[in-house]
Amino acid sequence: MIYAKRRKRMSTQEHNAPIDLESGKYVKIWQGPQHPGITGNMALELVLNGDEVVDCKTHVGYLHRGFEKLMERRTFIQNFPIVCRIAVPEPTFNEYLYAAAVEELAGIESPQRAQWLRTLNLELMRLASYLMWLGGIGASFGQATIYQWTVTHRDYVLDLFEEMTGARVYHMYIVPGGVRAGLPEGFEDRARAVLDGVERLLNEIEKVLFKNVVFKARAKGLGIISKEMVDPYGIVGPNARAAGFTRDLRRDEPYLVYDQLDFDVVTGTESDAYARAKVRHQEMREGIRMMRQILEQMPTDGPFQAKMPNVLHWEVPAGETYVKAECTRGEYGYYLVTDGSQYLRRVHVRGPSYTHAIAVMEKLAVGTNIADIAGLMVSLHTYPPEIER
Amino acid sequence: MEFFIGLWEALPDGLQTVIWILLKIIAIILPLMICVAYYTYAERKVIGYMQVRVGPNRVGPKGWLQPIADAVKLMFKEIIIPSNANKALFLIAPAITLGPALAAWAVFPFDEELVLADINAGLLYILALTSVGVYGVIIAGWASNSKYAFLGAMRSAAQIVAYEIAMGFALVGVLVAAGSLNLGDIVRAQSGNGGLFSWFWLPLLPLFGVYVISGVAETNRAPFDVAEGESEIVAGFHIDYSGMAFAAFFLAEYANMILIAALSAIMFMGGWLSPFQGWPILGPLFDWVPGFVWLVLKTGLFAFLFLWLRATFPRYRYDQIMRLGWKVFIPITIVWIAVVGLAVVYQLPWWFD
């Protein structure tokens, strides 16, 4: 097709020319906090020269709920309903990291079966989150059909969560010392059926979205993250992998039972929006492969929870720790400080959205077309609730 | 009864003519409005099924009353005029958009003899009116005093100017082949013993493709709906409109879509002609079908195509649309007009005898 060859976009903006808003040459436009092209509540302050974005400032602060401070005033077990609300579409990673950090400080070892169940839970969450994201990238480029398809299948995954944990969105399933429950009877077969359905959906999306001329024309060459940018800007996860870095904590520093699973780390080379979408699309297949192995190899009996002290009077010894895991957007970390009391001394949550949505977005947005801002934003996969906590 | 006949005859001749024309206009506009209403319903249903859901099914049996409910809701909504908006222009813009979309139907031949105004420059009239519609969009975008609306209006203006040319050239090919600007004559020029292979879509295939795609762009429909790109500039030029003012834009868009679909049927698919005309067995078999039915079927085909495109395509970026219009479509049409011209002058293939 005619757009297969992409030329370097001509820029109407003189190099490094100061932006004088009074000159009448520029239009300042706010995209957000309420805008169909923004995920969650944050705002982009764009300065336009015609259709070209010449300056971009991100504004966050619409969703700050002060979770880190709240957690200092609650006992260790009371924090569970809070941590899962930090990143709304994927609460499980927060639950796991908080539980793992507390376990490390308290010196509790969770049983083997619990570790398998946790891995299954995390991978299901990854699948659900990616399904929503894949729909989002379609919708942000004006293809709403993909969104309907993926949200349908995400709902099937949520059904699995409901069976497994009793809740659809905020599960509170992973607790210090293990998990809250084992699997219901016949869960494995139903899970396999859902995974097969998702796999068929992925094949269809490959045809409808990734081979579509318009999507290729728009997403290829959009928002290229150069290799030099990756480390200074703190880019992690699929965004870094699309730039050619084979970084994946599941393989580099295996936690839970990831060292017993066979999976590939998916990378790309182009590092544009298309490559990022492709990497995530492929990672969903890897996730499905992993979950099939988990369902196959998981021990079906044995304890799923370690012996715990009375959680109402639980005093965790003084210490500090940083626990990290690979969430859908990259490295996700919890830094916990305890002082030997029933309460946490300090919590810090390190989420990848913070760097991706602010510094990286401000850098990549300059020089793109206003039409591509929504697609660029979604292609970085960020969640405003996780930026501000 | 006799009283009314007497009353009618007592009227002056001029007034009789005016009343007759008004009645004819109503006879076209009312069914058209119903078509538009149910086209929106069809869109929601078709796209719904393509997106693996059922679409509206709550209001009335199987959701059949949904468009009526929508219309009633919009009628009762307040028309909010933004502060600092230019009030007169803000209110006149929907009318400017809706007017031409309805007026274009005046020269449209529904069947051999069924046409309100059988004028000889029908094609020019339609081209002129579809161009006027864009003024409504520009005025709406400017009068709203909103940056998003203004961006949408600018995009729409540039896009429609670019595609108007491609569309116009495609129609030049049609009129060269048909030798007439009258829509009825254009259809009659396509009748022949080849049935659907006598129609213009085959000899004018590149122009046919350009015309249909330009038609999608002309009506601001996906994948060319940058003027109201939801995820980019929210709703574009009609972002600040509500109630019936918004409904007017909505009606105009769908009336235009049906018009483009019907014109594609007239120009390239033989209008009211049977696709089996002149064929040995099928031809006589379908002789009893009225021409109007064929026209509706062909229009429905294109109307469905519009919905299909919307469900399956992402939105083009604005500069890519312009590149497609200026650098691909216009050259294609110019080259093919030359080819058609030569074919007509030297009577090359069997179509232009």
Side-chain angles (χ1 to χ4, degrees):
Chain A
M1 194 49 197
I2 186 143
Y3 298 121
K5 260 190 300 171
R6 277 192 72 91
R7 287 176 302 144
K8 202 173 179 326
R9 302 267 305 283
M10 276 186 298
S11 175
T12 48
Q13 175 72 12
E14 296 87 21
H15 199 61
N16 286 335
I19 294 162
D20 178 18
L21 282 175
E22 301 297 313
S23 67
K25 199 177 160 192
Y26 305 99
V27 177
K28 184 186 265 192
I29 208 164
W30 278 74
Q31 190 154 328
Q34 264 82 38
H35 187 284
I38 293 276
T39 49
N41 285 26
M42 68 177 286
L44 300 174
E45 188 185 356
L46 305 169
V47 180
L48 304 178
N49 180 2
D51 255 8
E52 190 195 349
V53 177
V54 293
D55 191 24
C56 171
K57 257 193 208 86
T58 49
H59 293 266
V60 293
Y62 302 97
L63 274 171
H64 180 65
R65 294 147 298 172
F67 280 155
E68 287 169 358
K69 193 71 189 165
L70 281 174
M71 284 166 77
E72 295 168 14
R73 289 288 175 274
R74 274 156 183 74
T75 60
F76 286 94
I77 206 75
Q78 276 179 327
N79 279 330
F80 270 90
I82 291 185
V83 287
C84 57
R85 279 163 174 82
I86 287 179
V88 180
E90 42 188 69
T92 306
F93 294 99
N94 289 282
E95 290 169 20
Y96 163 68
L97 282 167
Y98 177 69
V102 172
E103 278 168 15
E104 195 177 316
L105 289 171
I108 300 169
E109 182 84 21
S110 61
Q112 191 63 26
R113 189 176 168 210
Q115 303 218 355
W116 283 93
L117 285 168
R118 283 179 176 187
T119 316
L120 178 64
N121 196 296
L122 291 180
E123 285 305 316
L124 271 178
M125 191 76 253
R126 194 187 306 275
L127 187 67
S129 180
Y130 272 157
L131 276 173
M132 191 127 140
W133 180 86
L134 204 53
I137 193 85
S140 66
F141 284 112
Q143 159 53 299
T145 305
I146 301 277
Y147 187 76
Q148 303 283 349
W149 290 355
T150 57
V151 165
T152 307
H153 280 264
R154 175 175 178 265
D155 235 45
Y156 298 145
V157 179
L158 295 189
D159 285 345
L160 290 183
F161 274 126
E162 198 173 357
E163 273 189 55
M164 190 176 179
T165 70
R168 291 174 75 80
V169 179
Y170 299 125
H171 315 122
M172 291 168 253
Y173 178 68
I174 301 173
V175 292
V179 293
R180 274 199 293 110
L183 291 181
E185 221 167 277
F187 177 85
E188 286 88 347
D189 290 334
R190 290 191 287 277
R192 281 195 192 98
V194 170
L195 295 183
D196 291 345
V198 173
E199 201 154 46
R200 279 196 297 278
L201 175 77
L202 290 180
N203 292 338
E204 274 176 28
I205 288 177
E206 171 97 40
K207 284 183 215 152
V208 176
L209 190 67
F210 288 98
K211 291 188 178 164
N212 187 299
V213 191
V214 183
F215 183 67
K216 277 188 194 166
R218 287 196 60 180
K220 284 199 170 170
L222 169 65
I224 295 174
I225 297 175
S226 61
K227 283 204 165 183
E228 295 73 47
M229 255 179 89
V230 169
D231 279 337
Y233 279 85
I235 295 165
V236 288
N239 291 345
R241 289 200 282 278
F245 285 76
T246 52
R247 280 184 196 160
D248 192 330
L249 286 177
R250 289 173 292 175
R251 191 206 56 183
D252 299 341
E253 300 168 40
Y255 49 98
L256 294 174
V257 295
Y258 281 111
D259 50 349
Q260 297 170 49
L261 299 175
D262 175 30
F263 66 99
D264 295 331
V265 176
V266 185
T267 56
T269 48
E270 301 291 320
S271 193
D272 50 13
Y274 187 85
R276 289 196 280 275
K278 198 80 192 158
V279 162
R280 289 185 174 99
H281 183 253
Q282 200 56 38
E283 251 177 46
M284 286 169 78
R285 291 186 200 273
E286 290 299 321
I288 291 172
R289 208 174 118 201
M290 256 185 260
M291 272 182 275
R292 288 206 176 114
Q293 294 173 35
I294 295 170
L295 292 171
E296 198 74 30
Q297 302 172 13
M298 189 167 48
T300 46
D301 49 358
F304 49 76
Q305 195 151 22
K307 189 150 170 41
M308 296 284 293
N310 184 352
V311 290
L312 297 179
H313 307 284
W314 188 15
E315 287 174 358
V316 174
E320 61 179 300
T321 182
Y322 178 73
V323 181
K324 57 189 175 180
E326 184 81 13
C327 78
T328 51
R329 287 145 291 128
E331 183 184 324
Y332 205 101
Y334 263 58
Y335 176 63
L336 256 59
V337 183
T338 48
D339 52 7
S341 71
Q342 291 184 21
Y343 302 96
L344 282 161
R345 179 74 190 82
R346 175 78 174 96
V347 186
H348 177 73
V349 182
R350 190 271 176 208
S353 293
Y354 184 78
T355 51
H356 290 174
I358 297 176
V360 179
M361 185 64 200
E362 281 180 6
K363 164 105 170 127
L364 294 184
V366 174
T368 59
N369 193 301
I370 176 155
D372 287 333
I373 290 293
L376 178 63
M377 185 86 196
V378 173
S379 86
L380 294 171
H381 199 183
T382 57
Y383 292 134
E386 182 212 305
I387 300 172
E388 304 165 35
R389 302 177 290 278
Chain B
M1 194 63 205
E2 275 177 21
F3 169 74
F4 287 109
I5 293 173
L7 196 69
W8 174 251
E9 276 164 1
L11 290 173
D13 274 356
L15 198 59
Q16 277 187 11
T17 321
V18 168
I19 290 176
W20 258 122
I21 290 177
L22 279 178
L23 285 177
K24 282 182 190 167
I25 289 175
I26 289 170
I28 291 180
I29 296 289
L30 266 189
L32 179 65
M33 281 294 141
I34 291 168
C35 279
V36 166
Y38 280 92
Y39 192 30
T40 65
Y41 174 74
E43 168 168 47
R44 292 168 69 176
K45 272 287 185 191
V46 167
I47 291 182
Y49 281 114
M50 286 182 181
Q51 295 178 345
V52 204
R53 52 192 179 86
V54 289
N57 67 344
R58 287 284 152 235
V59 192
K62 293 193 180 289
W64 279 104
L65 293 179
Q66 184 69 46
I68 314 290
D70 289 344
V72 170
K73 185 204 85 172
L74 285 170
M75 271 178 224
F76 283 101
K77 267 181 93 169
E78 185 190 355
I79 298 178
I80 299 163
I81 299 174
S83 55
N84 293 329
N86 188 326
K87 205 169 171 183
L89 287 181
F90 186 81
L91 291 176
I92 213 170
I96 293 180
T97 313
L98 183 57
L102 300 180
W105 287 89
V107 295
F108 191 83
F110 296 96
D111 204 342
E112 188 81 43
E113 296 299 322
L114 205 62
V115 49
L116 176 62
D118 194 9
I119 58 176
N120 280 331
L123 197 59
L124 283 183
Y125 173 81
I126 282 188
L127 272 179
L129 277 181
T130 47
S131 317
V132 171
V134 71
Y135 283 102
V137 172
I138 298 172
I139 291 172
W142 189 81
S144 303
N145 190 32
S146 155
K147 286 170 185 169
Y148 281 120
F150 189 63
L151 273 176
M154 288 295 107
R155 289 175 172 202
S156 181
Q159 178 189 339
I160 288 182
V161 166
Y163 280 83
E164 195 92 315
I165 297 172
M167 207 171 169
F169 273 140
L171 294 183
V172 167
V174 172
L175 77 89
V176 168
S180 170
L181 279 167
N182 183 304
L183 293 180
D185 288 343
I186 288 174
V187 174
R188 279 183 278 274
Q190 298 179 50
S191 76
N193 287 333
L196 64 108
F197 298 110
S198 303
W199 300 344
F200 282 160
W201 67 270
L202 197 54
L204 306 180
L205 195 59
L207 298 185
F208 174 53
V210 168
Y211 181 80
V212 172
I213 298 173
S214 305
V216 180
E218 181 87 359
T219 47
N220 281 331
R221 291 289 297 182
F224 302 106
D225 56 341
V226 287
E228 45 192 281
E230 163 100 355
S231 57
E232 306 157 11
I233 48 172
V234 197
F237 61 91
H238 60 54
I239 184 169
D240 280 320
Y241 281 87
S242 59
M244 276 320 272
F246 166 73
F249 282 117
F250 203 69
L251 291 176
E253 181 180 334
Y254 283 83
N256 267 329
M257 279 163 69
I258 297 177
L259 180 70
I260 296 286
L263 282 177
S264 310
I266 289 274
M267 305 286 176
F268 296 96
M269 299 293 269
W272 60 77
L273 299 174
S274 158
F276 311 115
Q277 194 187 29
W279 287 21
I281 302 160
L282 283 172
L285 203 62
F286 283 95
D287 242 4
W288 58 274
V289 180
F292 183 65
V293 172
W294 290 123
L295 182 63
V296 168
L297 284 179
K298 291 165 187 173
T299 308
L301 188 75
F302 287 106
F304 178 77
L305 181 76
F306 286 165
L307 308 184
W308 193 6
L309 281 176
R310 180 174 163 190
T312 43
F313 267 91
R315 188 181 301 113
Y316 259 120
R317 204 174 57 217
Y318 170 67
D319 53 328
Q320 292 168 341
I321 289 182
M322 299 307 283
R323 200 183 305 153
L324 186 70
W326 289 103
K327 291 191 178 169
V328 181
F329 283 178
I330 292 177
I332 286 180
T333 48
I334 289 175
V335 167
W336 209 255
I337 286 171
V339 172
V340 172
L342 288 174
V344 168
V345 169
Y346 295 103
Q347 304 202 334
L348 287 179
W350 67 94
W351 295 293
F352 312 113
D353 44 0

